[in-house]
Amino acid sequence: MGKRKASALNLWNWAFHSKISRKISTVFFGFLLLSVILTYFSYRYVSKEYVLSNMEQHSRQTLTSIRSNIVEMVENTNNSYSLLLKSGISDLTKLPLKPTDRKFYDNYLFTIIDSYNHLDSIYIMNLKGQLYGVDKFGIKTPVIHSVTEAPWYQSVMDAKGSCILSLHAGNIFLPDYSEDFLSAVRVINDLETQKPIGFSIMNIPTRSINQIFEHVFQPSDIEITLYDASGEIISTYGDTKEGENHHNISPFIGPASAYYSASGKNSLSAGIYIPEYQWRLTATFPLKYESTLSTSLLQISFWIFFINMVLMLICVIVIAKSIQTPVSQMIQAMGRAENGNFEPVAVRHPNSELGLLEIHYNHLIERLQFLMERLVQEQKLKRKTELRALQEQMKPHFLYNTLDTIGYIVLTGDTNQAYDAITALGSFYRQSLSKGKQFITLEQELQIIKDYTSLLSLRYEELFTVNYDVDETLYQHEIIKLLLQPLVENSVYHGIKPLGEPGTILISVKRQETLICLTVTDNGVGMDDQLLQSLRSLSPSPRDSFGLAGTIERVHISYPEKGAVELLSQKGKGTSVIIKIPF
C-alpha cells in the first residue's frame, strides 16, 4: 500500500510539479478523457432535451391557440348581449309575460342561440327571483327564492355591467341537467334610470369547449383540463394514462407564472394561465423519440468532439511555448544578476501577464542598480564626513590654545587646575577617537560635551553656562559620534560670544514615542531669515561650516528613513537645533 501511494505521488509530481509544458500536456489529456465521457452522457441527455424542447414549444403554441379560442368564444357570448338590448330585454323582467309577448321573445332568443351555436340556453331573472328563458334541452328549475341568494349576486353587481362567469350558474338550478355548462351572468339596467332590474344568464355547454379541443388534438394524443378561478374543473377532454400528472401542476400556474411545464418519464405536463377570467388550462403531451434524430445528434456530437480535440491540441502547443520561452529568459536573466550582471530582459508583449512580469523585473534591476550606486556614494560621503569631523576636533589652533592655557595655569602654580585641564583634554580626545567607532552611547557623547565645555571655560571663564535635561534611561542608546558637540561649539562661537555677555546653553534629550529628540538651545544673537533659510536648504558647503550643515548631512546619511533636523531661530533671541532620530 505504501509503495502504491509513493508511486502515485511520484507520478503526480512528475505531471504537475515539473516543467510547464508537461503540466499543460497532462491537463490537456485529462480534459480530453473528460470530454469523451461528457460527450457520451451529453448525447444521451441532449437527445431527450431536444425532443423535450420541441415539445415544450409545441405545447406552448397549442395551449396559446386554445386559450385564444376560448377567450373568443366567451367574448362572442358577451357581445350577444347587445342583441338582447335591441329586443327590449328590460320587458322580460316584467313577469309574467303575455302569451303573445312570450312567443315573440321565445323566437327572438332562439334566433340568438342559433346565431351563436356555442350557446344552449338564455335566461332572464328579475330582482324577485322570477325566471324566464329558452333552452334547447328543457327549461331549468331555479332553487332560490330571491336573486340575492345567488352566489354570484354581489360579484355581478360590483361588475357594473361586465360579464361574470360562473360554473352551473352558481348552482341556482336543480341538478337535473344532463350536461355541464358555464354561465355568463351580467346585470340588466333600466334604460331610463340605469338602475338594476334583473340579470341575464347565458349558458355555454362544456360540449362547446370540447369542440375547441377536438379541432387541435386527436382523442388518443392528449388529456386537457380547464379550471375556473376557484380550481373547480370546467371541462376535461381525453383519457390517457399520462394525463394523471397534469393535474399536479395546476397550483403552479397563475399571474406570476403564465406558463409552466414539468416533464415526466414519457410525457410532458404543461399549463397556461387565462388572465381574462383567472382560469388555468393544463394538458399532458406524450414524448416520442425518433431514431433519425438520435443518429443526427450522434454525428454532430462526434464532429464537435473531434474538432475540439484538434483545437485543444493546437492551443496546448501555442500556450506552452508562449509561457515557457519568456520564463526561460527570466531564469537566465536572474542567473546573470546573481553574478553581478544587471541586464534587463526584452519585453515582447507588454500587455500580457508575463510582459508585466518582465517590465517589473526590469524596474527591479534598475532600482537595484540605483540603490547600489547610491549606497557606494553614501558610504564615500559618510567616510569623508566622519574624517572631516575628526579633523575639526583635532584643529591645531584648538590644541595650541588649550596647551597655552594649561601652561599659563602651571606658571601660576595652580597644579590642581592644570591637572584637571590635562585630564579633560585627554578624555576629550579619547572619547572623540573612540577606537574608530562610528556610533557611541549617548552617555559618551554627553561626556565629550562636558570635556569640551570644560576646556573652553579655561579661556572664556564665565562666558557661558551649560544646563542638561536628559532622560537617563536613554544613556545607553547609541547615536552617531560627535552629533551634539559641533552644535555646542557653534552655539559658543556663533551664538553667545558675539553677544558680548554671558549666555546659557540647554541640552535636552527626550523620547517621543518611536523617536529620540535631541535639542541644543542657546540665547545668543540668533540668525536672520536669509542665513536660516540657507542652512535649512544645505546651501553652505560642509567645508565652510561643519557645525550645522555637516551635522544635518550626517543625520540624513546615518538615518535616511526617519532622521530629521529642525532649525528654529530669531535674530537677537537665540537658536534651537532639534534632531530627531529613531529609537
Side-chain angles (χ1 to χ4, degrees):
M1 189 67 181
K3 292 182 178 180
R4 291 183 180 179
K5 185 176 181 180
S7 300
L9 183 60
N10 292 334
L11 180 60
W12 177 268
N13 292 332
W14 178 86
F16 293 100
H17 296 162
S18 56
K19 296 182 179 180
I20 295 178
S21 58
R22 185 180 300 167
K23 182 187 296 186
I24 295 176
S25 300
T26 303
V27 173
F28 164 72
F29 285 110
F31 275 107
L32 183 62
L33 179 60
L34 181 62
S35 178
V36 172
I37 298 173
L38 291 178
T39 300
Y40 171 74
F41 287 102
S42 297
Y43 160 71
R44 299 185 58 183
Y45 174 78
V46 171
S47 61
K48 182 177 181 179
E49 289 297 315
Y50 182 80
V51 175
L52 183 61
S53 176
N54 286 343
M55 184 57 70
E56 282 196 355
Q57 184 178 2
H58 172 69
S59 66
R60 183 187 289 266
Q61 293 174 350
T62 302
L63 292 177
T64 301
S65 176
I66 294 175
R67 179 180 66 182
S68 299
N69 290 336
I70 291 176
V71 171
E72 182 180 1
M73 181 184 67
V74 175
E75 290 300 318
N76 288 338
T77 302
N78 195 31
N79 293 335
S80 65
Y81 181 75
S82 60
L83 296 178
L84 292 178
L85 292 177
K86 293 179 181 180
S87 67
I89 189 173
S90 60
D91 295 336
L92 296 177
T93 61
K94 301 174 183 178
L95 299 177
L97 296 175
K98 296 179 181 180
T100 55
D101 292 338
R102 185 178 184 89
K103 183 177 181 180
F104 168 77
Y105 285 116
D106 284 351
N107 292 333
Y108 188 80
L109 293 181
F110 271 117
T111 300
I112 294 176
I113 291 175
D114 292 336
S115 300
Y116 297 92
N117 55 11
H118 59 273
L119 293 176
D120 266 3
S121 58
I122 300 176
Y123 290 87
I124 305 298
M125 179 178 286
N126 61 18
L127 298 180
K128 296 179 181 180
Q130 296 174 318
L131 188 70
Y132 164 76
V134 294
D135 197 316
K136 289 183 179 181
F137 302 100
I139 298 299
K140 296 177 175 61
T141 304
V143 295
I144 59 175
H145 301 89
S146 173
V147 69
T148 57
E149 298 177 14
W152 40 257
Y153 173 77
Q154 191 59 46
S155 298
V156 174
M157 294 296 290
D158 294 339
K160 298 180 181 180
S162 298
C163 175
I164 296 297
L165 298 176
S166 177
L167 187 62
H168 304 146
N171 297 318
I172 65 172
F173 300 111
L174 286 174
D176 57 355
Y177 38 83
S178 59
E179 185 179 7
D180 293 333
F181 60 91
L182 182 69
S183 303
V185 186
R186 65 186 300 168
V187 69
I188 301 173
N189 294 321
D190 186 89
L191 295 179
E192 294 180 357
T193 63
Q194 290 300 311
K195 293 183 178 181
I197 58 176
F199 300 89
S200 68
I201 305 172
M202 299 183 180
N203 297 322
I204 305 171
T206 55
R207 178 183 69 257
S208 298
I209 299 176
N210 290 342
Q211 287 175 354
I212 296 176
F213 301 155
E214 290 176 356
H215 284 298
V216 182
F217 302 108
Q218 296 298 323
S220 59
D221 289 339
I222 190 174
E223 179 183 355
I224 185 167
T225 304
L226 180 64
Y227 300 87
D228 64 7
S230 63
E232 190 174 357
I233 295 178
I234 298 175
S235 176
T236 297
Y237 176 80
D239 186 16
T240 61
K241 295 181 180 179
E242 293 85 358
E244 298 176 358
N245 296 327
H246 77 276
H247 297 287
N248 298 329
I249 70 170
S250 176
F252 299 99
I253 306 169
S257 180
Y259 175 82
Y260 182 84
S261 65
S263 60
K265 184 176 181 181
N266 297 312
S267 63
L268 173 70
S269 297
I272 197 169
Y273 184 63
I274 305 178
E276 291 84 356
Y277 320 115
Q278 300 180 4
W279 290 353
R280 288 162 291 170
L281 183 65
T282 64
T284 298
F285 299 83
L287 295 176
K288 299 178 181 179
Y289 300 95
E290 300 178 3
S291 58
T292 54
L293 174 63
S294 301
T295 303
S296 300
L297 286 174
L298 180 61
Q299 293 176 351
I300 293 173
S301 300
F302 171 77
W303 284 109
I304 291 176
F305 166 73
F306 179 77
I307 294 173
N308 285 339
M309 183 182 65
V310 174
L311 292 177
M312 287 178 65
L313 181 60
I314 295 173
C315 289
V316 164
I317 296 174
V318 173
I319 293 174
K321 187 175 181 180
S322 64
I323 295 176
Q324 190 173 10
T325 300
V327 169
S328 299
Q329 293 178 351
M330 286 285 293
I331 294 174
Q332 294 174 3
M334 290 178 182
R336 292 192 297 268
E338 290 180 356
N339 298 325
N341 183 9
F342 297 100
E343 181 180 345
V345 297
V347 181
R348 298 181 180 180
H349 305 287
N351 294 327
S352 66
E353 288 81 359
L354 290 173
L356 293 175
L357 179 62
E358 292 170 341
I359 291 174
H360 285 294
Y361 174 78
N362 290 341
H363 289 168
L364 177 62
I365 290 297
E366 294 175 359
R367 181 64 176 170
L368 285 175
Q369 289 179 325
F370 170 76
L371 291 177
M372 290 184 66
E373 293 175 357
R374 178 180 174 182
L375 181 60
V376 171
Q377 293 297 327
E378 287 183 354
Q379 288 296 329
K380 291 181 179 179
L381 184 59
K382 187 174 182 180
R383 297 292 296 177
K384 187 176 180 180
T385 304
E386 294 291 345
L387 180 60
R388 190 160 58 246
L390 182 59
Q391 292 172 347
E392 285 289 327
Q393 298 311 311
M394 298 181 65
K395 287 181 179 179
H397 71 269
F398 172 76
L399 181 59
Y400 295 155
N401 292 337
T402 303
L403 291 176
D404 285 343
T405 303
I406 293 174
Y408 174 76
I409 294 173
V410 172
L411 292 177
T412 60
D414 192 350
T415 57
N416 291 332
Q417 187 179 11
Y419 175 79
D420 293 338
I422 293 173
T423 301
L425 180 62
S427 176
F428 172 74
Y429 279 109
R430 182 170 61 254
Q431 297 289 346
S432 298
L433 295 173
S434 63
K435 299 181 181 179
K437 294 181 180 179
Q438 295 182 358
F439 286 84
I440 60 176
T441 63
L442 176 63
E443 186 177 14
Q444 291 174 318
E445 180 70 16
L446 294 176
Q447 186 60 46
I448 291 175
I449 296 174
K450 292 176 181 179
D451 292 337
Y452 177 74
T453 55
S454 176
L455 295 173
L456 285 182
S457 298
L458 297 177
R459 297 187 59 204
Y460 306 108
E461 188 174 359
E462 298 182 358
L463 176 64
F464 61 89
T465 302
V466 181
N467 297 324
Y468 296 89
D469 182 15
V470 181
D471 185 351
E472 295 182 357
T473 61
L474 302 175
Y475 272 171
Q476 300 306 313
H477 185 80
E478 291 190 345
I479 61 175
I480 55 175
K481 181 174 60 178
L482 301 178
L483 178 62
L484 299 177
Q485 187 276 331
L487 303 182
V488 174
E489 180 181 352
N490 193 73
S491 295
V492 173
Y493 285 104
H494 301 289
I496 297 176
K497 187 178 179 181
L499 188 64
E501 60 184 41
T504 302
I505 300 174
L506 174 63
I507 299 175
S508 173
V509 181
K510 300 293 182 181
R511 180 177 175 181
Q512 296 180 355
E513 296 181 356
T514 60
L515 298 175
I516 295 178
C517 184
L518 305 98
T519 306
V520 177
T521 304
D522 66 71
N523 59 351
V525 296
M527 292 180 283
D528 56 27
D529 292 339
Q530 182 178 0
L531 178 58
L532 185 63
Q533 187 62 33
S534 65
L535 286 172
R536 286 173 177 173
S537 61
L538 286 179
S539 294
S541 171
R543 290 189 295 268
D544 301 329
S545 178
F546 175 78
L548 281 178
T551 300
I552 295 173
E553 183 178 10
R554 293 173 64 216
V555 169
H556 290 164
I557 293 175
S558 300
Y559 307 100
E561 298 294 333
K562 297 184 178 180
V565 178
E566 297 180 14
L567 298 178
L568 304 175
S569 182
Q570 289 186 1
K571 189 68 174 178
K573 292 186 178 182
T575 301
S576 291
V577 181
I578 304 171
I579 300 176
K580 295 180 180 181
I581 60 175
F583 176 73

